[in-house]
Amino acid sequence: MKKGKWITVAVCVAAVVVIALSAFDVIKVGREYKNSSVLMNTTVSADISGTQAQSVGEEIFKRISQLENKLLSRHIELSAVGEINACAGQETVITLFSQSYEEGNVDDPVSDILNIISRCQTLRQDSGGAFNPLLGRLSDLWGFGTGNERVPSENEIKSVLNGTDEPIEINGRKVKIPTNTVLDLGAVGKGIACDEAKKLLESAKVKSAVISVGGSVLLYGEDRQFEVGIRDPFSQSGTDCFATLSLSACCVSTSGSYERNFEFDGITYHHILNPKTGYPADSGLVSVTVVCEDGFLSDALSTACFVLGYEDSLPLLKKYNAEAVFVTDEKKVLVTDGLCDSLSVEKDSFTVIDGQGK
Ligand code: FAD
Ligand code: MG
């Protein structure tokens, strides 16, 4: 080969290498990040755009896993909740997990968990007891999600409800749940995961993100609209939606009776329990979707509103400046004022009754 041709080949090869390297660089720097994984016994997915998308995405999955294992899960003995439950009826100084948690990027996990419990107490009061974080024993009795679901006797229900209406005592950095009770943060854990994801996104150079943790979704990013589907509660498919909400940045949580249930003697029993009766809530609703700024609140309120029913939920939503979409067992869709223009219902079998106020 002549010298000139060699130079041309060399330049071409170099160009290909440069292009390949820069492509590699984009992937490595990670301007787009998409991933999903199973955490908190549900699917967690992230779709992030921005310079640090890859690194913050990885950090988010790590943080949610830490949250589950070190703080929130009642199924893990060495989590903070596990530690509190092991000492029901006695003051607990949360210590076990904090040492290993220091490896993570969390400032003060003890104050985090105490703050979460304290917010749960407030929500419990504000919802007139419809939201109750002490129903772990009751859930276990029904066996939701265990494969051993059954309808318990009245006496069994009465026995596990004992103590659940008493307060949780927080004294400095000590906490005490009532004797006989089990702390269960299943109704708020996914929303808390969204809040933690938001903190990480805020500290990184990220333009926009959608983080979905089971029924709770964080929509992050200024100056853009997001389309969020609301699942059809009557469809057997886990992905079929009956409506779409067009929203700017916020948190959205849905609680539905379709999520965990079983049938016995022709009656369907679901996992959202009325703390007053010990039976699945029968407010005439099949799902409630709550939209607000905070993941903890959207998750807690969707559970509380499911128990309260439409009318009794309105003052609670107003207090927290939250909006909601309710679906009844007759396929009626009730929407609070703030969401009327954002909601579009795509299935004719649903009847929208909007402008109901809040
Ligand atoms: P939501 O409406 O948000 O909450 C319903 C859940 O909250 C119920 O399942 C019950 O746990 C509780 N609850 C019921 N009624 C009330 C009420 N009136 N007030 C307050 N709370 C109520 N599931 C497993 O099977 N195995 C696991 O190992 C496991 N680990 C988990 C770890 C974490 C950190 C979290 C957050 C959840 C975990 N779960 C696990 C799932 C959990 O037990 C619930 O089933 C799940 O959180 C239900 O979420 P949801 O969004 O469908 O319902
Ligand atoms: Mg909830």
Side-chain angles (χ1 to χ4, degrees), residues 131 185-191 215-216 253-256 271-272 288 295-304:
F131 173 89
L185 301 180
V188 288
K190 294 162 196 168
S216 289
S253 294
T254 299
S255 286
H271 70 133
I272 305 171
V288 182
F296 170 93
L297 275 181
S298 63
D299 200 355
L301 288 173
S302 67
T303 309

Side-chain angles (χ1 to χ4, degrees), residues 40-41 68 72-73 75 130-132 135 139 145 184-187 189-190 255 259-260 271-273 275 299 303 307:
M40 298 187 171
N41 202 47
E68 173 178 8
L72 303 182
S73 181
H75 304 281
F131 173 89
N132 187 326
L135 301 185
S139 284
D184 173 14
L185 301 180
K190 294 162 196 168
S255 286
E259 204 54 65
R260 282 183 175 205
H271 70 133
I272 305 171
L273 301 163
D299 200 355
T303 309
V307 175

Side-chain angles (χ1 to χ4, degrees), residues 57-130:
E58 286 168 2
E59 199 55 41
I60 284 171
F61 280 93
K62 204 170 129 199
R63 177 68 63 88
I64 296 176
S65 169
Q66 275 186 333
L67 258 185
E68 173 178 8
N69 292 303
K70 306 278 168 71
L71 280 192
L72 303 182
S73 181
R74 72 185 180 91
H75 304 281
I76 295 170
E77 275 178 34
L78 291 182
S79 72
V81 169
E83 202 174 0
I84 291 165
N85 282 337
C87 301
Q90 302 161 43
E91 255 189 358
T92 317
V93 184
I94 309 159
T95 54
L96 274 178
F97 67 97
S98 62
Q99 302 224 322
S100 48
Y101 216 87
E102 273 165 20
E103 294 157 17
N105 208 4
V106 174
D107 297 328
D108 182 3
V110 175
S111 103
D112 284 350
I113 190 73
L114 295 178
N115 184 36
I116 289 165
I117 294 170
S118 159
R119 292 186 80 187
C120 285
Q121 288 258 80
T122 308
L123 222 293
R124 174 164 133 178
Q125 276 160 19
D126 291 344
S127 67

